Amino acid sequence: MTFPQFAYKNITRNLRAYMAFYLSSSFAVMIFFMFAMFIFHPALETGYMNNIAKKGMKFAEWIIFGFSIFFILYSLSTFLKTRKKEFGILTIHGASPKQLRWLITLENVFIGLASIITGILGGTVLAKFFFIAGAYMVKMEPLQLYFPLEALGITVGVFLLLFILISQFMLFTIHSEEVISLLKGSEKPKKEPKPSILFSVLGILFLGTGFGMSLFAGIDMGSAVVITLCTVIGTYLFYSQLSVWMIQLLKRNKKMYRKGINLLWISDLTYRIKDNARLFFIVSIVSAVAFTATGTLATYKLMFSTAETSYAMEFLSYATNQDEKKQLEFIKEKLEQENIDYQQTIFKAIEARQGPMSYPVLVVSHQDWVKQFPELQAPNIHDGEGIYYGEAKRGGYTIVNGNKTKLLTDDQQMSITLQSIEEPVFYLSDILVVDHNTFRQLEQNHELSTMYGFQFENWKESLEISQEIQSQIVGETFNPNAQYFSKAVRYFETVQLPSLSLFIGLFIAIIFFLAAGSFLYFRLFADLYEERKKYKSLAKIGLSEKEMVKISTIQMAILFFLPFLLAIIETGFALHVLQREGGYFHVFQSGVITILGFLGLQIIYFIVMRHSYNKHLKEYVFR
Amino acid sequence: MEEVLQVKEINKIYQGKVAFQALTNVSFSVEKGEFIGIMGPSGSGKTTLLNLISTIDKPTSGKVLINGQDPHQLKKERLAEFRRKELGFVFQDFNLLDTLTLEENIMLPLTLENVDPELIEEKVKTISKKLGIDAILTKRTYEVSGGQKQRTAIARAIIHQPKLLLADEPTGNLDSKASKDVMQTLQMINENDQTTMLMVTHDPYAASYCHRVIFIKDGKLYNEIYRGTDQKAFFQQIMDVLSMLGGDRDDFSTVRL
């Protein structure tokens, strides 16, 4: 038997142990590849995405990669831990460190290659499925599957390097151990952890600071980073320290602790607290990211349900505008260039402010208004009366209060009684129609602004010229002398673009949620071997099947729902920050819906996993 | 005398590519308070026999009656209850849970029965004093020696006063001093509490503590010998049967007395 033969036999005859590692690696590759496929998608390469979104996605990709490193490292270390005894035996029989290194590197490259292949295949299938499902959910055209040369290259290159580097790193940890501790390997029981008061206090402080700041502190880039860091560190300390205290409290209550199966699961929890702390930590953070991403996007989606306005394009030129003629010519030229048959509306108006917020409004004479908009059937009004065309409330702020309003211009102030408040006619500005005499009065001291409205069919197709006009009139940011609005641009920004972001966000959320789930899965099945041995010896002294199922259910429930709970709390705070600083208004509602959705998924996952795990246990313990 | 254990005509065939008959028509019975040893060369079916008696495995034919009851007829849940009420187990590799302290390991059968914690504490105290492990109760399994572990396992096996104590090579992992301690502990329990015991062993020295030793060879009963008053003489008798059983004397552990 040559050494490579030995390495080969090692894998093929111990397939079960290698399987878990192989599957988790494949999973990491799959996620990375799916996302890469998405980023390099030709459809996104062209129109849709602006640079910021693109950068964000690249960033997310590297986050996923960082997470993959962690994930693979975690599964490799559990995998090698179960094999420590084997390495000890090899060493004691004279395997040189060089040979061991060769063996492990060989194995890792082999498994790495295999999992890169499966990951890419699985990713392709799942991506297709996700493109369709995602497109359906956010109501956009499904993305086509394509041959992702770039994504392939990056995935293979990055992961091959990762597998080689990680195996070298793991070798380092093995070499530093004595043969004897290798031989005792995983049999050597872990010491009961002792909580440190210092770290516990620090944990409370960090969590408290994180949560407190998210409630009260001003949010900018700096404090956001501080909050995130505090929460992350606090979460880790919470699991590694505070949980020990809690369990000790549980143990102190002997009536409870020594009752039935409690003894078994509580002591087991103590025993594994270190492993669990790490797992809980990862799962909590990853789930919190998934929840927050979805919650934010759900909020985002809800925000864009504004009233329809009737003009495909609006152009508002203030009195100060020098280029009005040129700009108007440009608009018309563009419209004609596209052979668009349009109707134009023009009226003069006075710039003013009104209401409790001093919200800008255009004042129009009744005479003029009725002439331009006979179809609105504006009723007759008298001196000091007006009709308001606009929304009384915007984003939680009251624009028009009651039926009396104070009209402010640069040098005048007058009170107007509103006869009615009607649906908005223009997007660019609210309109206040006043009687002709009042208008005259105002007109004397003010230059007039001009509002142009263009009405035509098939406005969705005018996105390109609209964007050109917009950059001509408004420029990069803002033009104090003129405003321009196009329904096509608005539709693109509020429906198409958010759909895309929602899609991306959903994608990230689902990936992270899957990741959290897979962590739990691999953890459970890595321990299955030891667990069933334990249950078998317990069964000999009279543990019934029902009791075994009960214990494993309790343990699994803790694994599944404790990190979930903390993730919910963290999500709550994150969404609260959004509400406070981002001006999002449906945060609570969408947050609850999101979390309920994830809870539902988690419960289903729990039920499925519990069933399969217990089946494995029963088959071995009670044949 | 009351018969605690009756083994009636049991056969055990392991199905596989080649069916293998591990036990053939084995019958014997054990009376209340008896301490029985079962010996035989490797592969003779000792452990199979013990597994059948301990309800871990089912016989292909024949019956095992414990206190007149056939545990193999019981439903799963009832079987678990039967094991923890009627039987006590001592294993070669102790089978203590690393997650528990020694004390918690001992009380495990009672906590599973939901016995009142105060009563449990009391019982643990008495039993650990009797077995000389009361000073190490709060230690964990990896902090004590093999002999101490085995005595803890014995304490766990007898804390609920089982009708029948089954021991599978209880001295197999122990040195001679620890073996002696463990055997004396078993003997003391047998004498004081009248606990019926059945022990499978390789070790003629351990077997010399029994009242009676049953020998099996190739899955069949071969012989049985009773102990007189003299343990040394009994040990010699056991050695003689073992050499007749075939195999070299070297198959068995050397004389320790």
Side-chain angles (χ1 to χ4, degrees), chain A residues 189 191-192 255 257-260 263-264 267 271 534 537-542 544-547, chain B residues 56 76-77 80 83-84 89 91 95 97 99-100 103-104 107-108 111-112 114 117-118 121 140 142:
Chain A
K191 280 226 168 73
E192 197 167 331
K255 269 241 152 43
Y257 177 47
R258 292 186 174 171
K259 195 103 191 140
L263 180 68
L264 286 169
S267 68
Y271 184 60
K534 183 184 88 185
S537 57
L538 279 173
K540 282 183 189 167
I541 65 167
S544 72
E545 191 175 313
K546 243 191 220 147
E547 284 164 337
Chain B
I56 292 165
K76 269 186 191 168
E77 291 296 315
R83 278 184 199 154
R84 74 178 177 226
F89 289 93
F91 305 92
N95 268 337
L97 292 187
T99 56
L100 302 178
E103 173 184 38
E104 287 161 359
M107 66 180 65
L108 190 60
T111 55
L112 287 178
N114 279 321
E118 274 165 40
E121 195 124 0
R140 298 276 296 276
Y142 54 87

